[in-house]
Amino acid sequence: MMVLRRLLRKRWVLGVVFGLSLIYFLTSTLKQEERTMRDRTLLEVRDSDHRIPWKVRFNLGNSSRQITQCRNSIQGKTLITDELGYVCERKDLLVNSCCNVNAPSSRQYICKSCLANGCCSIYEYCVSCCLQPDKQPLLEHFLNRAAEGFQNLFTAVEDHFELCLAKCRTSSQSVQHENTYRNPQAKYCYGESPPELLPV
């Protein structure tokens, strides 16, 4: 311990530590700048007319075809939304990750807890409501008007389900002063407008 203190008091040791820290900082900064430039180049090269496929590939309720796999919202503790717009309790999820449409808890395109502005209090209901076919014009309008910051996020979206998953997550539009929800009861939004600001 005493040797370490003596060593740290020497100026050349402090100079070496400072020099190595400076080198690390500069290389990290240059690598980050390089990644940023590469990402910008990829976005510019990517087709600017990126289209979202709006049609659902299959429909459990009307199809006799064998469904192999569904994507779903995954994170819900009690509720799950699958890519067909069904919300069900986690216990009613089938092995193929689709909601069991015959379970009493399963409902398709449910907007329970959602307000008229497209903001909901429960994430899974937000995704399900967003998946309604009649929401397509609203979502297309949003994509066409997306700010540059959002454009980077939404160009990675491949279809309607992924768009709804991304859109319903809380974003900077859902908060004020970076640490308080504008409306804690309706913080998941698929609409264009941010949640209404509730008085404190």
Side-chain angles (χ1 to χ4, degrees):
M1 192 67 158
M2 195 67 117
V3 174
L4 185 62
R5 284 186 189 169
R6 282 187 194 152
L7 191 61
L8 287 177
R9 286 185 186 161
K10 297 188 181 207
R11 289 181 187 214
W12 69 270
V13 172
L14 293 175
V16 169
V17 170
F18 175 77
L20 291 173
S21 299
L22 182 62
I23 290 170
Y24 175 76
F25 170 75
L26 291 174
T27 55
S28 298
T29 304
L30 290 174
K31 284 181 183 176
Q32 181 62 36
E33 184 64 30
E34 189 178 295
R35 272 188 241 120
T36 303
M37 292 302 290
R38 186 183 43 190
D39 290 347
R40 281 187 190 146
T41 305
L42 285 173
L43 284 172
E44 288 170 5
V45 169
R46 190 171 177 145
D47 184 11
S48 61
D49 194 29
H50 181 66
R51 292 275 176 221
I52 299 267
W54 295 102
K55 301 292 182 215
V56 177
R57 287 175 293 195
F58 50 82
N59 185 338
L60 274 178
N62 301 338
S63 178
S64 59
R65 288 180 291 168
Q66 186 68 23
I67 304 306
T68 57
Q69 198 70 21
C70 273
R71 294 172 297 164
N72 64 50
S73 58
I74 300 169
Q75 71 215 30
K77 192 173 185 179
T78 57
L79 294 175
I80 295 286
T81 302
D82 69 19
E83 66 184 298
L84 301 174
Y86 283 94
V87 176
C88 64
E89 292 178 11
R90 185 171 276 284
K91 66 179 177 64
D92 293 326
L93 202 60
L94 299 173
V95 292
N96 66 355
S97 299
C98 297
C99 286
N100 179 354
V101 298
N102 298 319
S105 73
S106 292
R107 300 261 192 285
Q108 190 177 31
Y109 304 136
I110 188 165
C111 296
K112 189 175 174 182
S113 88
C114 297
L115 304 175
N117 67 351
C119 292
C120 312
S121 62
I122 298 173
Y123 176 72
E124 289 75 18
Y125 292 147
C126 178
V127 175
S128 180
C129 196
C130 174
L131 285 169
Q132 287 182 347
D134 67 345
K135 299 294 190 278
Q136 179 181 341
L138 172 74
L139 295 168
E140 282 181 332
H141 189 264
F142 167 77
L143 284 174
N144 291 335
R145 292 186 52 229
E148 190 61 38
F150 291 124
Q151 198 69 38
N152 294 345
L153 169 66
F154 292 114
T155 53
V157 166
E158 294 295 328
D159 61 17
H160 191 174
F161 180 66
E162 287 181 10
L163 176 61
C164 291
L165 286 176
K167 191 78 176 85
C168 287
R169 294 205 196 296
T170 55
S171 69
S172 58
Q173 287 187 307
S174 298
V175 294
Q176 64 174 349
H177 310 304
E178 298 180 6
N179 64 357
T180 309
Y181 285 114
R182 294 174 59 87
N183 182 342
Q185 282 76 43
K187 57 189 174 191
Y188 306 106
C189 300
Y190 62 84
E192 287 187 90
S193 306
E196 291 180 25
L197 183 60
L198 291 183
V200 180

